[in-house]
Amino acid sequence: MLSIFSYLKKDQHAQMHTFEAVIAATIMIGVVIFAVHATAITPLTSSTASVHVENQIHKTGQDVLSALDHSDESRNSDLKEDVLRWDGNHYVWAGDEYFAAGNRSNVLENSSIATALDLVAVNRGIAHNVEFSFIGPDDSIATSVYIYSGDPSNNAVTASRKILLSNSDFDDMNITEFAKNTSIIDADNGSDFYNIVDIRLTMWRM
Amino acid sequence: MKKMDECGQLLLIAGFAIGLLLLISTVLLNSIIFTSNIAAESSADSTGYDTANIIQLTSHAFQEAHENDRSFNESYLERFTSKMKLMYAHSGYIVSITNGSFYDPYFTENGQSDGNLNWTVVKSVENVSDFTITIPENNFTESEHFQIKISGLDNELFWVMTLRGIESGVNITVKNSTDLIYSSENSSTYLDLDIIENSGYNYEENTQNGPYHIQFVNGSHAEGYYLIEGELAGGMEFKTSRKYMVDADISLRSDERIVRISVPVSIPINND
């Protein structure tokens, strides 16, 4: 025991050893901390995975709108029919169906958009808003809500599809009542042109 | 060993080396993730969808604006193009749409001479109430023929009409799966065939075992119009026709890209 103490007393280089070891450890720890802050793969940061998920949802939304807007020569597309049949209310999802906000007895029926979103979005936990943008008075762009599920998150994506409305599309309908209920006005009284409606579908993962 | 033991520099060097290794790994990993993120963002480009949408809108507008014969309602078209510019401007695009002149279509799928010449016009037809073919100026050569073919869902032949060029005009023959039903020669340059009303063609008798497909064969050999109206299997009514073609020149410009396309638009027959 005494010999150990005497040996230690003689070894004057140990302080440098310790100092160098501490510095080396400090360098390694500093680099690890730098690496952790610099990389983009922590779960809380925006990563490749979430970008791909957003792209997937965006493509899904675009494909849904494109499919609904398909039509043959002699009839309107399902998307156009949904706009023409709209009563002006905005609808919310109630767990098994869409009903008008503030009026549970007014259920959204015969809506191709609602049916498609029920199949594609609801079952996968994707929240969605559907809005109609159109030309308003004085050539301004007005927006009305069709389906509302809440404020979108930062990772929300928006797909859109435009449709053309002409006066001849309202042959079986009251055009004045449609304009009054939906605010989609006749943007040109001098021709058969009625309006262009941009259907905007915003989707985000809950 | 004693000398090396006294040199802590090796420990420092090892520390630096490990630190450098970690740094390089981090930079490489970041580059990989950054690159794949950039690639992923490019796949979110919606220009293809916007282009398809504007083509469809323009086709609908041209069909709505078509008036008597070879003219457009210019007021409608002017309103349409100006409102389109307004709507797309809010999405960050500059849009320009202009129309060309009317021209006669071929019986190909897209109406052009180089379009798909053998194609199915209507599928799963239960019955037809109106079926007319008009060739305003037949210029079949002797090696050319155009056929209207009716075949069942398993591709069995029900009925076929063949218009074949001959020296003096056009030879029209109608056959079913076994027999020649009708044959005549027509020297007129103008052909107007009402396939339902002309009982000599025996169309309805030979298509009773529906549903069936209506096909055009060698559509690039003839220019003209068609109108087919009836009911599909399942009860849905259908109507398909083509009278003229018009080229739509569309330009879609954003700060990232410019898309310029010329699209042939099919104008249907108006029942005015």
Side-chain angles (χ1 to χ4, degrees):
Chain A
M1 194 77 162
L2 203 63
S3 63
I4 293 170
F5 280 124
S6 64
Y7 174 73
L8 285 174
K9 199 177 170 184
K10 283 179 191 175
D11 193 351
Q12 293 168 353
H13 300 291
Q15 291 169 8
M16 264 331 275
H17 291 173
T18 308
F19 181 67
E20 284 164 347
V22 167
I23 293 296
T26 306
I27 289 169
M28 279 191 276
I29 288 167
V31 169
V32 168
I33 290 170
F34 168 78
V36 165
H37 277 104
T39 56
I41 56 169
T42 59
L44 296 178
T45 56
S46 176
S47 68
T48 304
S50 79
V51 170
H52 279 305
V53 166
E54 285 171 23
N55 288 345
Q56 228 175 6
I57 294 174
H58 183 253
K59 275 198 185 340
T60 301
Q62 287 285 12
D63 289 342
V64 164
L65 292 178
S66 299
L68 289 174
D69 198 25
H70 173 73
S71 67
D72 62 21
E73 179 189 311
S74 56
R75 58 174 54 81
N76 293 329
S77 67
D78 291 337
L79 199 63
K80 193 170 185 175
E81 284 294 325
D82 285 348
V83 175
L84 291 171
R85 276 197 299 261
W86 184 37
D87 58 6
N89 288 313
H90 84 258
Y91 293 87
V92 295
W93 176 249
D96 56 351
E97 58 193 3
Y98 294 91
F99 64 86
N103 183 3
R104 282 197 80 104
S105 61
N106 183 357
V107 174
L108 181 59
E109 290 172 337
N110 297 324
S111 168
S112 305
I113 298 174
T115 306
L117 289 173
D118 189 5
L119 286 169
V120 165
V122 171
N123 289 338
R124 291 162 61 191
I126 298 173
H128 45 277
N129 291 345
V130 180
E131 294 172 335
F132 297 154
S133 294
F134 47 89
I135 299 165
D138 301 325
D139 282 349
S140 58
I141 301 295
T143 301
S144 292
V145 175
Y146 182 60
I147 290 174
Y148 183 72
S149 301
D151 289 334
S153 72
N154 291 337
N155 296 325
V157 292
T158 301
S160 82
R161 185 87 180 176
K162 295 174 180 57
I163 58 160
L164 171 66
L165 295 183
S166 304
N167 290 343
S168 55
D169 292 324
F170 296 92
D171 282 345
D172 301 330
M173 296 170 57
N174 187 329
I175 202 170
T176 314
E177 196 179 331
F178 174 82
K180 184 180 152 211
N181 289 339
T182 64
S183 306
I184 303 175
I185 59 168
D186 188 344
D188 177 53
N189 289 320
S191 73
D192 204 36
F193 176 88
Y194 189 81
N195 212 314
I196 296 173
V197 179
D198 187 8
I199 294 100
R200 297 173 58 80
L201 169 61
T202 303
M203 301 165 85
W204 67 97
R205 201 173 266 288
M206 290 186 287
Chain B
M1 193 63 184
K2 199 178 174 183
K3 258 196 175 170
M4 283 176 70
D5 212 17
E6 291 174 2
C7 298
Q9 282 87 356
L10 263 176
L11 214 59
L12 255 177
I13 289 169
F16 276 124
I18 291 168
L20 203 63
L21 190 68
L22 280 172
L23 198 69
I24 291 169
S25 305
T26 306
V27 169
L28 280 175
L29 190 63
N30 257 2
S31 303
I32 292 167
I33 292 169
F34 180 72
T35 307
S36 64
N37 268 355
I38 294 296
E41 281 175 19
S42 73
S43 72
D45 180 25
S46 63
T47 306
Y49 291 103
D50 292 327
T51 307
N53 194 190
I54 200 171
I55 290 172
Q56 182 167 341
L57 282 169
T58 305
S59 299
H60 286 170
F62 280 17
Q63 289 164 4
E64 285 287 335
H66 173 236
E67 282 184 329
N68 315 320
D69 225 17
R70 296 174 188 249
S71 66
F72 280 129
N73 181 328
E74 293 297 336
S75 172
Y76 184 102
L77 273 191
E78 192 271 326
R79 285 292 174 270
F80 168 72
T81 50
S82 72
K83 300 305 180 192
M84 282 285 279
K85 285 178 185 173
L86 183 65
M87 284 298 280
Y88 274 90
H90 282 264
S91 306
Y93 289 104
I94 299 172
V95 163
S96 162
I97 301 170
T98 52
N99 61 282
S101 308
F102 287 86
Y103 57 94
D104 287 334
Y106 286 83
F107 286 103
T108 53
E109 190 168 11
N110 64 358
Q112 309 297 294
S113 59
D114 58 354
N116 184 12
L117 60 163
N118 303 327
W119 60 292
T120 303
V121 184
V122 195
K123 289 184 182 176
S124 300
V125 177
E126 190 63 42
N127 60 67
V128 169
S129 56
D130 199 352
F131 193 164
T132 56
I133 297 282
T134 306
I135 299 176
E137 191 168 339
N138 86 67
N139 46 14
F140 289 98
T141 64
E142 288 191 23
S143 62
E144 290 176 342
H145 70 277
F146 167 57
Q147 283 185 325
I148 302 143
K149 194 166 146 194
I150 309 298
S151 52
L153 300 186
D154 293 329
N155 236 9
E156 68 274 32
L157 179 68
F158 285 177
W159 182 96
V160 60
M161 171 183 276
T162 306
L163 283 70
R164 189 180 298 277
I166 53 173
E167 197 179 321
S168 55
V170 176
N171 172 254
I172 303 172
T173 55
V174 176
K175 292 181 185 176
N176 60 16
S177 55
T178 51
D179 304 314
L180 175 69
I181 303 169
Y182 177 94
S183 179
S184 81
E185 288 180 7
N186 194 318
S187 58
S188 167
T189 55
Y190 181 87
L191 281 177
D192 191 9
L193 309 171
D194 192 325
I195 291 170
I196 304 296
E197 289 299 319
N198 190 330
S199 56
Y201 299 150
N202 277 3
Y203 178 86
E204 283 174 324
E205 290 85 343
N206 285 284
T207 57
Q208 279 174 354
N209 299 331
Y212 52 86
H213 304 319
I214 300 175
Q215 295 162 323
F216 286 169
V217 178
N218 288 331
S220 58
H221 290 178
E223 289 178 66
Y225 334 134
Y226 69 86
L227 166 69
I228 310 173
E229 201 171 348
E231 190 179 307
L232 298 174
M236 193 184 290
E237 290 180 3
F238 78 92
K239 178 182 172 186
T240 179
S241 65
R242 182 190 292 155
K243 186 145 190 202
Y244 299 115
M245 300 295 296
V246 173
D247 287 338
D249 297 317
I250 301 169
S251 160
L252 189 65
R253 187 185 303 190
S254 69
D255 62 343
E256 289 172 346
R257 59 188 60 80
I258 299 173
V259 175
R260 286 200 188 93
I261 42 176
S262 182
V263 179
V265 175
S266 172
I267 304 294
I269 293 173
N270 288 338
N271 278 347
D272 294 321

